[in-house]
Amino acid sequence: MRRRILTLTAALALLLTGCTAGNEAPEDGVVRLRFQSLAWQKESVDANRQLVKEWNATHPDVQIDYVQGSWDSVHDQLLTSFEGGEAPDIIHDASDDLADFAYGGDLADLRPLLPERLRADIPARSWETTTFGEGIYGVPFLQEPRVIIANRKILESSGVRLPTPEKPWTWTEFRQITQDLTRTMGSGRYAVAWPLKEPVSVSLNLGLSAGGQLFHREADGRVTVRFTEADAVVPGTIHDQVVTDRTAPRTTLGSGGSDTLPGFFAGKYAMVPLGFAYRQQIVQQAPKGFEWMVLPAPAGDGGLTQGVSPQTLSIAEDSPYKKEAAAFLDFFLRPENMVRLARGDWMLPTGTTALADPSLHTARDGWATGAAVAERLRPAPAQSVRGYPEWKDKVATPAFQEYYSGAIDGAELRRRLVTDGNRVLARYQRK
């Protein structure tokens, strides 16, 4: 509200002096736009910076200033910058972080700004991730399925059936295979390690494969949480592997994906479910001679369907140069450039033309497996839910953590997610 008042006051002052912020020409005739990128891996940063350099070399009247941001602090940093009226013109973020900014009026509706080429090249299911109400508030451009990174020698020597995108493991089969593998691997070794420092997105996004949904939008537009048998399949499998079967260690539940890699390389774990981009770390860090493979995540009634929150590019509502910013996005996300960005981040492009690039369908480093899964990626269940960040932090994260460790049972997990969760969401949906 304070930012709104400040903005209105500034606008009135400009009107009184006979000009508007949107039409005020730069003193040197050069439009300067700040692009805050969250790229962090060297290859990704290099690709981003190179594209900015190429744009600047051919657009002397519209120059892009590259600003390095951080995934660790982007939400709070954007809140502060929007409140202070100093947000970057072009904003790199993830789709599941956009809802409050979109509904709050901080992001520009991109519908009148984006070229038809870009609108048509990205599938409707991806645009759904950045659509809030009637508007589109970000361009989804990179996506990351969750896959299983496996020790090739352990799996092939065990004789278990290896899954393919055409015939993946079911969740029931996956649990049985982890039991068989753990028995053959010996004491102190586990078939699978679940790095669940951030358990909510893993649980919800993989839950779509079993037909789970969790969030349900009612006829009046309100969203409520309902935890069904389908929603319990994935959490139940993980819980049973850790608590009942002991085919997965408790010690990795509070770990990030990178934390599990030394144990994976040492043969302590045969498999680790990870985001697709972790392949880069494996290529860089794996000891010489280590053989690994990429397998699709298990499937249930929903097949290989997964929820995903793509990386996005948005334009700040307060930017006086929205058309120029949109022109840069059109250049930045040309198919050939989208491929460069995807390979730099070891992820997959959303654009259909870019995704068809042969370099993304090679067997090497598991690119083909990821590309096969890409068609089954859908908006994450919480994509457009207002209040999701608070629900996740205060309710869902501690509930899932305690459930996976065995501290609470399934009934208590359901109670917390539904009863406590709906109490949180209700505050954001009052009319």
Side-chain angles (χ1 to χ4, degrees):
M1 180 60 73
R2 179 174 176 271
R3 186 183 70 82
R4 304 273 186 271
I5 295 172
L6 290 173
T7 303
L8 178 60
T9 301
L12 289 173
L14 286 169
L15 286 171
L16 289 173
T17 59
C19 65
T20 67
N23 296 323
E24 187 176 1
E27 291 183 5
D28 61 357
V30 178
V31 171
R32 298 188 183 280
L33 302 174
R34 287 187 300 147
F35 165 37
Q36 179 171 290
S37 170
L38 302 180
W40 64 276
Q41 300 187 92
K42 183 182 184 303
E43 291 178 52
S44 180
V45 172
D46 290 347
N48 276 258
R49 287 187 176 276
Q50 181 60 32
L51 286 173
V52 168
K53 183 179 179 180
E54 291 173 13
W55 167 275
N56 286 341
T58 55
H59 297 80
D61 296 334
V62 181
Q63 293 289 285
I64 305 296
D65 294 331
Y66 183 95
V67 179
Q68 186 63 60
S70 170
W71 286 107
D72 293 336
S73 58
V74 64
H75 184 82
D76 291 341
Q77 180 261 323
L78 287 175
L79 280 174
T80 301
S81 62
F82 283 133
E83 190 71 21
E86 297 183 353
D89 299 275
I90 302 165
I91 299 165
H92 182 187
D93 203 352
S95 59
D96 61 355
D97 192 41
L98 299 185
D100 289 343
F101 297 135
Y103 287 121
D106 298 310
L107 302 177
D109 182 355
L110 300 181
R111 288 177 298 170
L113 298 170
L114 296 178
E116 180 57 30
R117 175 205 69 77
L118 190 57
R119 290 283 300 271
D121 192 49
I122 296 175
R125 63 178 180 271
S126 294
W127 286 117
E128 288 176 20
T129 67
T130 59
T131 299
F132 304 95
E134 298 297 322
I136 295 175
Y137 295 94
V139 182
F141 71 108
L142 292 180
Q143 54 192 349
E144 182 181 22
R146 189 162 290 270
V147 295
I148 295 176
I149 308 296
N151 183 311
R152 179 184 294 275
K153 288 184 178 180
I154 292 178
L155 261 69
E156 289 185 345
S157 64
S158 71
V160 301
R161 182 182 75 82
L162 298 180
T164 64
E166 296 73 29
K167 192 175 181 182
W169 288 328
T170 65
W171 284 100
T172 300
E173 187 179 8
F174 177 52
R175 182 184 175 190
Q176 181 60 55
I177 282 172
T178 58
Q179 292 174 345
D180 297 340
L181 275 176
T182 300
R183 279 194 295 268
T184 62
M185 290 176 65
S187 177
R189 304 170 77 197
Y190 301 88
V192 61
W194 284 97
L196 293 175
K197 184 177 181 180
E198 300 289 341
V200 181
S201 62
V202 175
S203 305
L204 270 60
N205 291 341
L206 287 180
L208 289 183
S209 68
Q213 186 176 349
L214 201 66
F215 294 98
H216 300 264
R217 192 171 296 276
E218 311 298 340
D220 62 359
R222 293 173 182 265
V223 175
T224 59
V225 180
R226 294 201 296 271
F227 191 82
T228 66
E229 289 185 8
D231 293 300
V233 171
V234 172
T237 300
I238 298 172
H239 170 275
D240 290 345
Q241 287 174 327
V242 174
V243 178
T244 306
D245 305 336
R246 298 185 180 180
T247 58
R250 279 188 175 88
T251 53
T252 65
L253 294 178
S255 302
S258 299
D259 301 326
T260 62
L261 294 183
F264 177 61
F265 296 147
K268 187 174 181 179
Y269 321 121
M271 298 179 286
V272 185
L274 292 169
F276 198 54
Y278 275 95
R279 295 170 304 129
Q280 183 188 39
Q281 291 186 47
I282 293 172
V283 167
Q284 293 174 342
Q285 299 173 17
K288 186 177 181 179
F290 182 81
E291 297 184 21
W292 56 282
M293 64 175 71
V294 177
L295 307 176
D301 291 344
L304 286 174
T305 302
Q306 287 186 35
V308 68
S309 298
Q311 292 188 24
T312 59
L313 293 170
S314 301
I315 298 174
E317 174 61 26
D318 285 349
S319 173
Y321 303 111
K322 296 183 182 66
K323 290 183 179 180
E324 291 83 352
F328 172 71
L329 293 186
D330 183 33
F331 162 80
F332 195 72
L333 299 178
R334 289 175 182 171
E336 64 271 22
N337 293 341
M338 204 181 281
V339 172
R340 291 164 65 182
L341 293 167
R343 292 193 63 84
D345 238 336
W346 287 67
M347 297 176 70
L348 297 168
T350 58
T352 54
T353 304
L355 187 59
D357 189 277
S359 69
L360 303 180
H361 291 262
T362 63
R364 183 180 175 85
D365 298 330
W367 281 105
T369 299
V373 175
E375 295 182 359
R376 302 304 305 271
L377 299 179
R378 297 293 181 268
Q383 200 65 67
S384 61
V385 178
R386 297 201 68 180
Y388 170 72
E390 181 179 347
W391 176 87
K392 179 185 72 172
D393 293 343
K394 294 185 177 180
V395 176
T397 295
F400 276 118
Q401 286 175 336
E402 291 181 45
Y403 176 61
Y404 290 143
S405 70
I408 63 174
D409 61 13
E412 178 61 12
L413 173 68
R414 178 181 286 104
R415 187 199 68 77
R416 291 195 193 180
L417 296 179
V418 175
T419 303
D420 296 349
N422 282 328
R423 190 178 296 118
V424 169
L425 297 186
R427 294 203 308 272
Y428 290 82
Q429 303 182 89
R430 291 171 182 162
K431 295 184 178 180

